[in-house]
Amino acid sequence: MIRLLIVDDHPIVRDGLRAAFEAEPDIHVAGEAANGREAIDRAAALEVDIVLMDLRMPEMDGVTAITALRHSHPHIRILVLTTFDGDSDVLPAIEAGATGYLLKDAPTDELLRAVRAAAAGEPVLSPSVAGRLMGQVRKPVKAALTDRELQVLALVADGASNRQAATKLFISEASIKTHLLHIYDKLGVRDRAAAVGEGYRRGLLS
């Protein structure tokens, strides 16, 4: 019997998922959680095998919860089920230790197969997610940030505006903008917030 924990901040989604599993003789929904913090507590208390994890939730997001669960209970398999398939969602979840990644528009039979596969330790990826990961593997390695780009990124992370960063580094605002464009390109992001997040993820910021 596969013991399953459903984690999603929307009650109607949890109800729908529970209904999808109720008729399965080999899957038992042991409990539910509305955020990552509850998921960590209940996964251990309920002795579950699989956690079906949403990513964007209040109090504690899915990636943070995945990281904590993989550290404290490495035997628990975590299957992400979300509506988001962008690089900023997929890659952190997989790197945190998710066994699989599915989208909420997946048909019920695919979801059931995924839970059983995850319980057996097999990786599970929706086609679009698999395509994104392949694209990441095939991308040429971006050049490392220069010392000046790292300085600009650090100032941005501290909340500095372009003008404030330019003043601190004794360069023009136009130069700051140029450095930011190079940073975005090298980190594969589109804006300041994403650049800062990626900088922390890669250990470029402390």
Side-chain angles (χ1 to χ4, degrees):
M1 180 67 70
I2 300 170
R3 293 178 60 81
L4 179 70
L5 175 67
I6 297 172
V7 185
D8 196 290
D9 58 327
H10 294 99
I12 192 168
V13 173
R14 298 199 302 271
D15 290 345
L17 290 171
R18 179 181 283 275
F21 293 113
E22 279 183 343
E24 302 305 308
D26 60 333
I27 300 175
H28 170 63
V29 178
E32 301 176 8
N35 58 63
R37 195 174 305 283
E38 288 183 2
I40 294 171
D41 294 338
R42 294 180 185 176
L46 297 171
E47 299 182 341
V48 300
D49 304 299
I50 299 289
V51 175
L52 200 58
M53 181 82 74
D54 191 15
L55 287 184
R56 301 189 186 181
M57 299 175 289
E59 293 193 43
M60 181 184 288
D61 64 90
V63 171
T64 303
I66 292 169
T67 302
L69 280 171
R70 293 299 296 158
H71 177 73
S72 60
H73 299 87
H75 64 284
I76 295 177
R77 309 290 184 181
I78 303 167
L79 183 60
V80 171
L81 183 65
T82 183
T83 56
F84 306 101
D85 66 348
D87 290 349
S88 61
D89 297 297
V90 175
L91 298 178
I94 298 298
E95 290 174 350
T99 301
Y101 198 112
L102 289 180
L103 300 181
K104 287 182 178 177
D105 60 1
T108 300
D109 59 345
E110 182 180 336
L111 178 59
L112 294 173
R113 284 196 300 270
V115 168
R116 293 180 177 114
E122 300 171 10
V124 183
L125 296 173
S126 70
S128 66
V129 170
R132 283 191 174 277
L133 291 178
M134 287 296 291
Q136 286 293 324
V137 170
R138 290 172 179 161
K139 277 184 181 178
V141 177
K142 296 288 186 180
L145 298 190
T146 65
D147 288 343
R148 178 63 86 189
E149 288 164 355
L150 287 171
Q151 290 173 335
V152 171
L153 183 60
L155 287 171
V156 169
D158 286 338
S161 65
N162 288 355
R163 177 174 295 180
Q164 291 169 330
T167 300
K168 288 191 176 183
L169 296 177
F170 302 101
I171 58 178
S172 68
E173 283 189 59
S175 294
I176 292 293
K177 292 177 181 178
T178 299
H179 286 310
L180 283 172
L181 290 175
H182 291 163
I183 290 169
Y184 297 165
D185 181 60
K186 290 179 180 180
L187 297 183
V189 299
R190 297 180 180 179
D191 55 42
R192 298 164 74 94
V196 171
E198 187 67 10
Y200 279 114
R201 191 179 72 81
R202 296 192 186 193
L204 301 176
L205 298 168
S206 58

